[in-house]
Amino acid sequence: MLGTTVERLREQGWQGPTWWRFGRPGWHPLTDALNDEPDWDLIDRRRQAREDQKQAEEQRAAKAEQDAADAKQQARLLTARAPVCSRRPGGLCR
């Protein structure tokens, strides 16, 4: 599917970089816009971006899980120390 504007047709003519092809970046001459060859570089960049995003999400999830485990461990330690701390003068542990 191709698109253009009347203004671009007036400025560039129908053979100039007037045509925008859905799914491809930028403006193209009509013959390039009609070219049905896949843009492999664009496909690879999009695939890599998806993989990078997925990896970043997995890393964020792993960090959140580790942070939760650390917080749980810290809470257990504080709970275990509470009886000992309460017997000390001032009731504080450092």
Side-chain angles (χ1 to χ4, degrees):
M1 180 175 276
L2 302 178
T4 191
T5 64
V6 173
E7 290 82 20
R8 286 196 73 90
L9 283 170
R10 285 184 188 141
E11 291 171 7
Q12 304 288 333
W14 68 273
Q15 292 179 330
T18 306
W19 303 94
W20 182 73
R21 181 169 175 171
F22 290 80
R24 292 196 181 171
W27 294 92
H28 308 278
L30 183 59
T31 54
D32 292 347
L34 292 174
N35 180 0
D36 207 19
E37 265 310 298
D39 186 348
W40 294 112
D41 290 335
L42 178 62
I43 291 168
D44 288 340
R45 286 192 307 271
R46 287 179 178 172
R47 183 182 304 126
Q48 186 63 48
R50 283 192 305 270
E51 289 173 5
D52 291 347
Q53 182 179 7
K54 181 179 177 183
Q55 185 178 22
E57 288 172 0
E58 289 171 354
Q59 288 174 348
R60 279 192 296 272
K63 183 172 181 346
E65 189 175 314
Q66 183 62 46
D67 290 347
D70 291 346
K72 191 174 184 179
Q73 179 67 20
Q74 183 69 21
R76 280 196 297 257
L77 289 172
L78 291 174
T79 302
R81 289 175 56 184
V84 174
C85 292
S86 65
R87 291 189 298 240
R88 290 192 178 176
L92 297 175
C93 286
R94 293 185 189 182

